[in-house]
Amino acid sequence: MSAKILVVDDDPDILEAIGIVLEAHGYDVITARDGMEGLEKLKEERPDLMILDLLMPKMDGFEVCKALKDPRREKYAHIPIIILSSVKETASRRRYELETGVQLDVDDYAEKPIDPVVLLDRVGKILKKIGKA
């Protein structure tokens, strides 16, 4: 059984490119175009991993990370998250800490554009760590 990966990004080109790369390597890919849709798909699909953009309309990636800290969503808290953003990691972590008072608790952080080989390597490492590879 292949790992199920939820990709949340408002850029259709990014969704398509990441989807193609991941599906070509046997992963089952679900997509969402904003954080609200991402949380819905998280509930419906129960993915093994989420790749999350930070800057999106309606509900951004920061808000998704905050929402996952809510005790009502505790059953999804174990799902690993890779942040994939054009924002530098240090700036993102600082903004999240200022807004929430806690550190951005994600499993990996990659800046766009990401090389497909690097993306696959990072996805593979996390899935191996949780026993889904």
Side-chain angles (χ1 to χ4, degrees):
M1 189 176 108
S2 66
K4 190 185 289 190
I5 301 173
L6 171 61
V7 183
V8 186
D9 198 306
D10 62 321
D11 184 333
D13 295 335
I14 298 281
L15 286 178
E16 184 181 7
I18 290 176
I20 289 169
V21 168
L22 295 174
E23 286 172 351
H25 286 81
Y27 296 114
D28 186 10
V29 178
I30 303 111
T31 59
R33 291 178 182 267
D34 63 60
M36 290 173 84
E37 187 184 350
L39 288 174
E40 282 300 309
K41 296 270 176 102
L42 197 64
K43 203 161 86 177
E44 292 166 15
E45 301 282 348
R46 301 284 179 102
D48 299 302
L49 171 68
M50 178 166 43
I51 296 175
L52 179 65
D53 184 22
L54 289 178
L55 304 179
M56 297 179 286
K58 291 187 191 168
M59 180 186 227
D60 66 21
F62 293 108
E63 291 176 75
V64 171
C65 289
K66 247 188 287 191
L68 291 174
K69 298 288 177 217
D70 187 312
R72 291 169 296 179
R73 291 198 172 92
E74 199 175 323
K75 59 183 163 224
Y76 311 114
H78 70 283
I79 297 172
I81 299 173
I82 296 176
I83 296 289
L84 183 60
S85 180
S86 53
V87 181
K88 296 248 178 265
E89 182 173 1
T90 50
S92 296
R93 287 187 181 279
R94 181 137 78 255
R95 175 182 157 187
Y96 188 79
E97 286 173 34
L98 288 172
E99 285 183 15
T100 64
V102 294
Q103 291 191 334
L104 186 59
D105 184 21
V106 295
D107 297 85
D108 202 349
Y109 194 110
E111 291 175 17
K112 293 178 187 173
I114 187 168
D115 183 300
V117 174
V118 173
L119 177 66
L120 288 166
D121 178 57
R122 289 174 178 214
V123 165
K125 281 180 182 166
I126 289 174
L127 292 173
K128 191 176 285 179
K129 192 163 75 176
I130 62 167
K132 294 283 183 175

